[in-house]
């Protein structure tokens, strides 16, 4: 069976859910070989084994953590030259997409970004033009390099006991032109990461600036909080949580839009959500055109009632 490289997305050895999704997808295509960059590979091993990595290639060269993206692309090129994978899967975040693009140039290979599904072939599914078209694509040249959006697959466990292989890479001076001088993790909110969350509750101008009901409902569901641009531009919620064309693109299992009208620029960032629910006091609000369930009402009344009901049913 052919090897499929999966670039592990992690934070100091804590493997993100997106990696479990990539490993699940990789098993449809061949044998998943995880590539782990940085410190903490031993901490990551149980999670990588849980989702079927047959081998873990550890890259610990300090240049990989001290500089921006270019060294990681060079390192993956060297791993690919040795392993000769049949495909390479990378998480579709800003860094992942830049690594993938650089790697595609180096390997003279085709690249597909933002896949929402990958099946044997590999044949990918993408949602394009603000979600108005669904496209299936296949790479026809070189090693298929695919970046996969969060929530593209439900992680399925397949226990393995992968061995760790240390792999030496050589990083060129040309790849060391942008050095990281400082890095601070964002203050943890205790909520899931917006782009990876299975459930998102977003608030808009209709909140009137009070995100309390949004956060309380999100917490009852274990969800992330998002916001429309109108809400973040008003200073009601940090810009990092903006969903839409000029914010984050999300694709959760469930997206709840409360007090959001459904402007095209907002839709562009959430239209591929599996189930969409809106709470809006205006029955004519455009958001109702794309919802699976809609509640016409005041979010300040609807959300606290929903929160109470969810909390009651959980206990
Ligand atoms: C180039 C460009 C890029 C953009 N990028 C983005 C982007 O990335 N993301 C984004 O979101 N927008 C973006 N926008 C802005 C977008 O066009 C809209 O202006 C914005 O999405 C509107 O936000 P909103 O739905 O919260 O506010 P509004 O459109 O004002 O809608 C508020 C909604 O709340 C409802 N409401 C009011 N009170 C209540 C209540 N008590 N209970 C329930 N419902 C209530 C109203 O009926 C209304 O439907 C962009 C615009 C441009 C031009």
């Amino acid at each position: 069976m052919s090897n499929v490289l999966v670039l592990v997305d992690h934070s100091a050895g804590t493997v993100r859910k997106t990696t479990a999704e990539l490993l699940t997808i990789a098993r449809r295509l061949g044998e998943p070989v995880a590539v782990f960059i940085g410190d903490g590979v031993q901490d990551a091993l149980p999670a990588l084994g849980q989702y079927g990595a047959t081998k873990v290639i550890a890259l610990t060269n300090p240049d990989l953590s001290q500089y921006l993206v270019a060294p990681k692309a060079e390192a993956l090129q060297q791993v690919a030259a040795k392993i000769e994978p049949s495909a390479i899967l990378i998480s579709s975040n800003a860094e992942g997409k830049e690594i993938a693009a650089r790697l595609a140039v180096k390997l003279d290979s085709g690249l597909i970004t933002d896949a929402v599904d990958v099946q044997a072939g590999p044949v990918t599914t993408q949602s394009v033009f603000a979600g108005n078209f669904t496209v299936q694509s296949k790479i026809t040249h070189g090693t298929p390099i695919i970046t996969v959006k969060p929530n593209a697959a439900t992680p399925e466990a397949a226990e393995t006991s992968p061995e760790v292989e240390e792999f030496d890479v050589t990083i060129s001076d040309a790849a060391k032109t942008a050095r990281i001088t400082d890095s601070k993790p964002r203050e943890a909110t205790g909520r899931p990461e917006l782009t990876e969350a299975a459930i998102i509750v977003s608030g808009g101008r209709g909140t009137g600036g009070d995100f309390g009901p949004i956060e309380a409902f999100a917490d009852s569901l274990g969800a992330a909080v998002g916001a429309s641009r109108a809400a973040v531009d008003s200073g009601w919620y940090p810009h990092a949580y903006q969903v839409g064309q000029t914010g984050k693109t999300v694709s959760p299992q469930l997206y709840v839009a409360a007090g959001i009208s459904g402007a095209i620029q907002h839709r562009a960032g959430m239209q591929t959500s599996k189930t969409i629910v809106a709470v809006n006091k205006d029955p004519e609000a455009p958001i109702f055109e794309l919802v699976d369930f809609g509640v016409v009402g005041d979010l300040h009344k609807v959300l606290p009632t929903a929160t109470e009901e969810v909390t009651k049913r959980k206990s």
Side-chain angles (χ1 to χ4, degrees):
M1 232 183 170
S2 60
N3 289 314
V4 177
L5 285 188
V6 168
L7 179 60
V8 177
D9 191 6
H10 71 99
S11 169
T14 305
V15 174
R16 292 193 218 283
K17 183 168 145 269
T18 44
T19 300
E21 294 165 7
L22 291 186
L23 289 169
T24 302
I25 289 172
R27 297 207 312 270
R28 298 173 192 159
L29 313 177
E31 295 206 337
V33 173
V35 180
F36 186 98
I37 296 179
D39 296 330
V41 67
Q42 290 302 331
D43 295 334
L45 215 46
L48 299 175
Q50 186 184 352
Y51 291 101
T54 53
K55 189 178 2 177
V56 179
I57 295 178
L59 309 178
T60 51
N61 185 322
D63 288 343
L64 293 164
S65 329
Q66 284 172 16
Y67 297 89
L68 288 178
V69 178
K72 292 179 181 153
E74 272 195 7
L76 276 183
Q77 177 191 16
Q78 291 164 37
V79 174
K82 173 153 185 248
I83 302 282
E84 297 183 347
S86 60
I88 301 174
L89 304 180
I90 299 176
S91 295
S92 231
N93 50 38
E95 184 181 81
K97 284 195 266 192
E98 189 179 339
I99 294 172
R102 287 172 180 267
L103 184 61
V105 172
K106 289 177 190 302
L107 295 179
D108 188 22
S109 290
L111 163 68
I112 288 175
T113 55
D114 288 338
V116 292
D117 191 20
V118 186
Q119 294 294 338
V123 175
T124 67
T125 305
Q126 286 159 286
S127 174
V128 299
F129 296 132
N132 287 316
F133 287 85
T134 301
V135 177
Q136 296 204 311
S137 326
K138 194 166 182 224
I139 286 166
T140 55
H141 187 80
T143 309
I145 300 170
I146 302 167
T147 74
V148 183
K149 283 178 84 164
N151 296 311
T154 306
E156 285 162 22
E159 212 66 50
T160 49
S161 311
E163 278 176 22
V164 178
E165 181 187 318
E166 297 282 341
F167 189 90
D168 266 341
V169 289
T170 317
I171 305 303
S172 70
D173 286 344
K176 292 195 270 190
T177 51
R179 205 158 98 82
I180 299 169
T181 54
D182 192 17
S183 140
K184 289 191 195 80
R186 197 175 58 216
E187 250 175 60
T189 59
R191 298 194 181 96
E193 181 67 33
L194 183 59
T195 50
E196 294 169 16
I199 307 177
I200 296 173
V201 181
S202 283
R205 206 194 306 269
T207 59
D210 177 10
F211 264 64
I214 305 282
E215 290 187 330
F217 187 48
D219 290 343
S220 75
L221 294 169
V225 171
S228 74
R229 180 153 151 187
V232 305
D233 281 354
S234 304
W236 298 342
Y237 223 68
H239 273 98
Y241 297 90
Q242 182 187 320
V243 172
Q245 187 185 315
T246 43
K248 302 263 164 62
T249 303
V250 298
S251 198
Q253 298 293 332
L254 170 64
Y255 187 87
V256 182
I260 293 177
S261 60
I264 183 74
Q265 296 89 354
H266 187 80
R267 291 178 185 208
M270 44 67 75
Q271 199 151 282
T272 55
S273 305
K274 309 283 182 301
T275 302
I276 299 172
V277 176
V279 182
N280 198 302
K281 67 178 187 187
D282 175 7
E284 303 294 325
I287 190 87
F288 285 128
E289 289 163 17
L290 81 156
V291 298
D292 298 280
F293 302 99
V295 182
V296 178
D298 182 347
L299 71 91
H300 298 285
K301 295 196 181 112
V302 175
L303 291 187
T305 310
T307 305
E308 204 183 304
E309 196 59 32
V310 170
T311 312
K312 205 173 4 164
R313 288 186 190 207
K314 279 200 311 199
S315 59

